[in-house]
């Protein structure tokens, strides 16, 4: 347990990095779909989309899940402290599914930049915000 707080700090930093990607990636999709006729712009955005999800988002997601799993292993009693941790794990699994869906949408946009309109991605961009709010409330308030 000597290193628990260090792992917790790493977990929080990883989560922040992951959330930054989850917030920004759909915004790039808005730019991509709304500027599909500007070939030079789209090429730059495609590079940004790729690097953001592959070099920042996915490693941050893995680090978040790995550090969270290590903390649960080191302090398994937290699973018996109420249902809040189970709910948190559920919402985190939804974030993982959302992350995977972003890669799906990125690949679809490569094939057809008119795949979905910018408005779709603006709305889709709100999902990680709602999940983050639920996760933070569960961790800080522990309502049940």
């Amino acid at each position: 347990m000597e290193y628990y707080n260090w792992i917790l700090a790493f977990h929080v930093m990883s989560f922040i990095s992951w959330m930054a990607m989850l917030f920004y990636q759909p915004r790039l999709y808005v730019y991509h779909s709304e500027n599909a006729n500007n070939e030079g712009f789209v090429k730059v955005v495609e590079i940004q989309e790729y690097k953001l999800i592959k070099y920042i988002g996915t490693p941050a997601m893995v680090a978040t899940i790995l550090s969270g799993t290590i903390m649960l292993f080191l302090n398994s009693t937290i699973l018996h402290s109420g249902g809040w941790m189970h709910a948190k794990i559920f919402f985190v699994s939804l974030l993982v599914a959302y992350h995977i869906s972003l890669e799906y949408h990125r690949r679809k946009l490569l094939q057809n930049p008119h795949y979905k309109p910018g408005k779709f991605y603006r709305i889709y961009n709100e999902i990680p915000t709602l999940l983050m709010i639920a996760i933070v409330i569960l961790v800080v308030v522990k309502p049940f």
Side-chain angles (χ1 to χ4, degrees):
M1 292 294 264
E2 176 180 336
Y3 297 106
Y4 188 86
N5 286 336
W6 286 104
I7 297 167
L8 175 59
F10 180 75
H11 181 70
V12 171
M13 289 183 283
S14 300
F15 183 69
I16 291 168
S17 297
W18 185 26
M19 290 305 302
M21 185 283 294
L22 294 175
F23 291 148
Y24 193 59
Q25 190 79 6
R27 176 57 51 187
L28 289 173
Y29 296 166
V30 170
Y31 302 149
H32 190 149
S33 67
E34 290 182 352
N35 295 282
N37 297 329
N38 185 341
E39 188 177 325
F41 180 81
V42 167
K43 289 294 179 199
V44 170
V45 169
E46 287 175 352
I47 292 167
Q48 291 174 335
E49 291 166 354
Y50 177 81
K51 287 183 176 183
L52 183 60
I53 201 164
K54 295 294 184 183
Y55 300 142
I56 297 172
T58 299
M61 176 185 69
V62 170
T64 301
I65 293 167
L66 185 62
S67 58
T69 302
I70 291 169
M71 287 189 306
L72 284 174
F73 178 76
L74 292 174
N75 185 14
S76 61
T77 60
I78 204 162
L79 289 170
H80 306 291
S81 63
W84 68 270
M85 180 54 75
H86 296 90
K88 176 193 173 189
I89 292 168
F90 171 74
F91 286 122
V92 169
S93 68
L94 293 179
L95 277 180
V96 170
Y98 181 83
H99 180 106
I100 292 167
S101 78
L102 289 176
E103 177 61 15
Y104 171 82
H105 286 285
R106 187 185 72 79
R107 291 179 186 208
K108 286 294 202 177
L109 281 166
L110 289 174
Q111 296 170 358
N112 176 10
H114 299 289
Y115 169 66
K116 298 273 187 189
K119 185 174 182 175
F120 170 82
Y121 293 114
R122 280 188 176 85
I123 295 168
Y124 202 62
N125 194 33
E126 300 307 321
I127 293 171
T129 303
L130 298 172
L131 293 172
M132 185 250 339
I133 290 168
I135 290 167
V136 170
I137 288 172
L138 286 165
V139 171
V140 174
V141 178
K142 298 175 180 61
F144 48 89

